[in-house]
Every structure is written in C-alpha cells, then in structure tokens.
C-alpha cells in the first residue's frame, strides 16, 4: 500500500537568462527588496548590479546585505534580519550558494517574527507566515532553492544547527545555468558531490517514498554521467548537474538526510572543509555500510548506473567503487588525512557525529559508535580502501 506525502510549492523557473525575471517576480510581493549575498562573488561578477537594476526597473527600492560567509553564523543572520526590519522590506532575495540562500531564509524568519534564531532551529519548527523569499542559486549543489531547511553555524557551541519549516520554502526559484560559467572546477566538483550526496541519502532514507525515489535516481544518473565534463567547463554538463541538484533538493525536502550529513558536520565546523567535500569523503563508505539494509533498492540503483546483474553481497561494494571512481575523475582529495584531519581526533569525531540524532535516526541501518568510527577510519585512509 502506497503512502506518499510530498509538498513543493515553490515556483521553479529553470532556463538560461531566467535571472531576467527577478524584477517581475519580486514586484508581486511588494515595493522594497533585500538582496542577501556573499562577500565577493555577487559584486565581483557584476550580478549584484544586474539584479539591483532589474529590480529598480520594476519600481522596487533595493537594500543590500552582502555579509554572508560560508556556513553562515547566527550573528550574521541576526544582523541581516535587523537590516530587513529597519528597512521594512517586503521580499528577501537570496543570491549565491547554499549559504546565501539559507541566510535569506533565516533573515526572512527573524525579520517577520522577531526573537532569537535559537527560537526557530530544530527541534523547533517554523510555522506561520514569513517574508517571501526568492532564491537564485549560483552553484550546482545545495538545492536550498526548493527545500524547507536552512543550516547555520552556532559558533559558540561549534555546531551545525538546522531551521526547518514549510514557510521558509522560497516562493520562487530562478535557476539560470549561465550563472555557473564562472564556477571554478573544484567548486563544481564539491557542490556536485553535495548534490550527489543529497540524492543518494534521500534514496536510502527511512522516509523515502516512490516519488522521492524517482527524483533521487534521476539526479544520481545525471550527476554520474555529467559531473566530469561539468568540471572541465562544459556549460551543457553544468546545466544538467544544476538540474540534478534541484531534483535532489526536492527529494531531501521530503526525506531528509542520513548519516553522511551527521558525520560531515564535524569536518566543516572543526576543519573548515567545504560541506560538499566533507560529504564526498564519507559517501562511498556510508553507501557500502547501508547496502545490506536495502538490497532491492541497491540493485535498482546499480541498474540505473548501468552495472548489470550483481548479487546482494556485491552491489554495495560495486556502487561504492563507482562513487570513488567519480571522485577520482573530478579530483576530490583522496583522504581526510590529506586535508589535515588526524586519527587522534577520532573520539571527538565520533562523539560529535552521534549528537546529530535527527540524521542518524533517519539512516536505514542502525548506527553504532563503532560503525561511525570505522567509517571515519576508512575516510582517513582514503579511497584505496573503497569497496
């Protein structure tokens, strides 16, 4: 018996030059817009001036908050929300990677509702109306333009925390593949691996359903066949990975993420490792670990990847090796040790990972401290131990 719950109310506009519609879309929400973006790319690329001009052409007044750092902190979101309140803005536009879009979500919540950000992060859930959000992603990774999640850094406690709620889903997502032309190869790889991790985690999640599986499998297929050429600069390949990232975002919006994210947060918070790269280090080993819990789903995934018939005992290792080969092709560093993580940290890493109960509880196979330790050890040794 099928049981499916799926909700994606975001208006999605995906095509080259879709950014040209930002003024028209924003004008339907009011007369004053706040652009939320990072500290350099938006201005350096000329897109900040372009977006401001498109908004002003439609009669909107524009306020800019260009202070968002990678992995946005509570303090940054609170500064942005104060600006939004002081300026009495009607719509928030997040332009950038996941950090800028997530910051825009947090700013929209605090500007509307007041209080502290800790009032709205998990286990709390955002309810009621917030300022409308328009999301314009500039990387092919997070899928935040179509999710009810926003992730922030609690610098005091050195923890990643998540804001959850359907009200923070963007009203409009403008996905313009032309924005990806200046994305460096390494960030194309890292964000592409983030999207792959989202898709695979959605597929393996306890909360997956046939509809989320369709989105996840198509995302996985597109990333496997296009990420290498995307990293080499092919706009057509980047466009397909961009689309795949959006599909993966729609999937995790329904399913949530699993142990990969829970284990990756330590690497980002304590070593400043890019979120997508952190996921890439862990993903092959997490897939192999979870394979015995989902033999039929793993067989279906192997078919999608063109692997042919495999026994249940072979399929997890085969898919793990395929992920490792893809990571080799797009120049992902080989091991955690290579980026400065030490085996001396294992106890802290395991303790921190186990504290992300929401992700681990969603894992298809029950996770023990020893399991987490084993996967970290494999990632420390590197892809030579893959499969």
């Amino acid at each position: 018996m099928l049981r499916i719950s799926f909700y994606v109310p975001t208006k999605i506009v995906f095509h080259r030059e879709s950014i040209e519609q930002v003024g028209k879309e924003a004008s339907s929400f009011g007369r004053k817009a706040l652009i939320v973006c990072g500290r350099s790319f938006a201005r350096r690329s000329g897109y900040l001036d372009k977006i401001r001009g498109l908004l002003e052409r439609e009669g909107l007044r524009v306020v800019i908050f260009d202070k968002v750092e990678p992995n946005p902190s509570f303090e940054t979101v609170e500064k942005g929300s104060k600006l939004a309140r002081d300026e009495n803005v009607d719509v928030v536009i997040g332009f950038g990677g996941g950090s800028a879009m997530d910051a825009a979500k947090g700013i929209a919540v605090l500007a509307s509702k007041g209080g502290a950000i800790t009032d709205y992060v998990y286990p709390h859930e955002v309810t009621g109306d917030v300022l409308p959000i328009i999301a314009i992603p500039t990387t092919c990774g997070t899928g935040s333009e179509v999710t009810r999640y926003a992730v922030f850094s609690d610098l005091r406690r050195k923890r990643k925390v998540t804001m959850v709620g359907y009200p923070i889903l963007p009203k409009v997502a403008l996905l313009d593949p032309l924005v990806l032309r200046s994305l460096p190869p390494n960030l194309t790889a890292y964000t592409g691996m983030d999207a792959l991790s989202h898709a695979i985690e959605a597929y393996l999640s306890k909360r997956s359903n046939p509809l989320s599986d369709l989105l996840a499998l198509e995302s996985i297929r597109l990333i496997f066949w296009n990420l290498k050429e995307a990293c080499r600069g092919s706009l057509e390949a980047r466009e397909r990975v961009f689309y795949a990232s959006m599909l993966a975002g729609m999937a995790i919006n329904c399913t949530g993420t699993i142990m990969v994210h829970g284990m990756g947060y330590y690497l980002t918070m304590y070593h400043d490792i890019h979120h997508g790269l952190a996921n890439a280090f862990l993903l092959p080993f997490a897939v192999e670990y979870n394979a015995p819990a989902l033999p039929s789903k793993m067989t279906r995934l192997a078919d999608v990847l063109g692997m042919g018939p495999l026994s249940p005992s072979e399929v997890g290792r085969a898919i793990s090796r395929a992920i490792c080969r893809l990571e080799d092709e797009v120049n992902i560093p080989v091991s955690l040790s290579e980026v400065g993580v030490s085996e001396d940290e294992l106890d802290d890493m395991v303790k921190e990972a186990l504290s992300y109960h929401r992700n681990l509880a969603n894992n298809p196979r029950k996770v023990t401290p020893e399991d987490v330790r084993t996967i970290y050890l494999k990632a420390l040794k590197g892809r030579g131990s893959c499969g």
Side-chain angles (χ1 to χ4, degrees), residues 2-239:
L2 287 177
R3 290 178 62 88
I4 297 174
S5 177
F6 204 89
Y7 181 62
V8 183
T10 303
K11 176 181 179 181
I12 296 169
V13 184
F14 187 112
H15 60 76
R16 298 181 189 186
E17 298 186 344
S18 62
I19 201 170
E20 300 286 341
Q21 296 182 214
V22 64
K24 179 181 176 183
E25 295 293 345
S27 67
S28 66
F29 299 115
R31 307 312 302 164
K32 196 170 192 180
L34 175 68
I35 302 173
V36 177
C37 60
R39 297 169 175 173
S40 60
F41 171 74
R43 195 175 296 278
R44 185 181 72 249
S45 65
Y47 274 107
L48 183 56
D49 288 339
K50 180 181 181 69
I51 293 169
R52 177 166 49 193
L54 290 166
L55 293 167
E56 291 175 343
R57 188 184 305 168
E58 293 293 330
L60 282 89
R61 288 175 293 163
V62 179
V63 181
I64 294 169
F65 182 71
D66 59 353
K67 309 298 182 186
V68 181
E69 72 274 43
N71 308 301
S73 65
F74 285 1
E75 291 78 9
T76 296
V77 174
E78 287 165 355
K79 287 177 185 175
S81 67
K82 183 179 185 303
L83 178 63
R85 285 194 303 271
D86 290 348
E87 294 286 346
N88 196 27
V89 303
D90 301 307
V91 58
V92 179
I93 300 169
F95 175 81
S99 295
M101 291 186 286
D102 285 359
K105 293 176 180 180
I107 288 168
V109 170
L110 290 186
S112 303
K113 297 180 172 296
I117 195 167
T118 50
D119 298 330
Y120 304 103
V121 297
Y122 186 82
H124 305 291
E125 184 165 339
V126 178
T127 58
D129 293 335
V130 306
L131 284 176
I133 302 158
I134 296 175
I136 309 175
T138 64
T139 68
C140 46
T142 70
S144 185
E145 69 275 6
V146 289
T147 73
R148 59 191 175 105
Y149 307 112
V151 180
F152 307 115
S153 295
D154 181 344
L155 299 180
R156 183 179 62 82
R157 296 192 301 149
K158 290 189 78 73
R159 282 187 61 79
K160 287 282 197 174
V161 295
T162 305
M163 181 179 283
V164 183
Y166 287 112
I168 68 172
L169 271 159
K171 298 294 185 185
V172 181
L174 300 176
L175 293 99
D176 184 347
L178 294 179
V179 175
L180 303 180
R181 286 178 296 188
S182 56
L183 193 65
N186 66 323
L187 286 181
T188 304
Y190 298 170
T191 57
M193 290 306 302
D194 190 19
L196 180 63
S197 188
H198 288 161
I200 291 177
E201 290 181 74
Y203 186 63
L204 301 181
S205 164
K206 282 183 178 178
R207 290 158 48 197
S208 66
N209 64 47
L211 185 51
S212 66
D213 285 352
L214 285 174
L215 297 168
L217 286 170
E218 178 64 1
S219 177
I220 294 165
R221 185 186 71 82
L222 287 167
I223 293 167
F224 259 92
W225 305 140
N226 290 282
L227 185 57
K228 180 179 177 181
E229 290 304 313
C231 292
R232 290 178 172 177
S234 165
L235 181 59
E236 289 73 19
R238 290 186 176 200
E239 189 169 56

Side-chain angles (χ1 to χ4, degrees), residues 203-204 208 213 217 287 290-305 308-316 319 364:
Y203 186 63
L204 301 181
S208 66
D213 285 352
L217 286 170
V287 166
N290 281 303
L294 299 166
S296 61
K297 292 193 82 167
M298 297 303 288
T299 297
R300 185 181 179 194
L301 176 54
D303 289 342
V304 166
L305 297 178
L310 291 166
S311 71
S313 63
E314 296 173 318
V315 68
I319 294 172

Side-chain angles (χ1 to χ4, degrees), residues 208-350:
S208 66
N209 64 47
L211 185 51
S212 66
D213 285 352
L214 285 174
L215 297 168
L217 286 170
E218 178 64 1
S219 177
I220 294 165
R221 185 186 71 82
L222 287 167
I223 293 167
F224 259 92
W225 305 140
N226 290 282
L227 185 57
K228 180 179 177 181
E229 290 304 313
C231 292
R232 290 178 172 177
S234 165
L235 181 59
E236 289 73 19
R238 290 186 176 200
E239 189 169 56
R240 295 184 195 107
V241 175
F242 202 28
Y243 175 63
S245 170
M246 183 195 73
L247 296 182
M250 293 169 70
I252 62 166
N253 196 47
C254 172
T255 66
T257 54
I258 60 170
M259 68 187 303
V260 180
H261 271 64
M263 293 178 64
Y265 289 143
Y266 175 93
L267 305 175
T268 298
M269 289 304 301
Y270 286 86
H271 287 274
D272 200 28
I273 295 173
H274 186 282
H275 171 65
L277 177 57
N279 288 348
F281 284 125
L282 301 164
L283 184 61
F285 308 110
V287 166
E288 185 178 7
Y289 170 77
N290 281 303
L294 299 166
S296 61
K297 292 193 82 167
M298 297 303 288
T299 297
R300 185 181 179 194
L301 176 54
D303 289 342
V304 166
L305 297 178
M307 291 182 176
L310 291 166
S311 71
S313 63
E314 296 173 318
V315 68
R317 288 193 297 273
I319 294 172
S320 175
R321 285 195 296 268
I323 296 169
C324 288
R325 286 194 297 272
L326 177 62
E327 293 184 0
D328 288 339
E329 290 174 343
V330 299
N331 296 315
I332 297 295
V334 171
S335 69
L336 284 178
S337 301
E338 186 177 326
V339 294
V341 183
S342 168
E343 193 169 328
D344 294 340
E345 301 172 63
L346 262 176
D347 288 343
D348 291 336
M349 293 162 69
V350 172

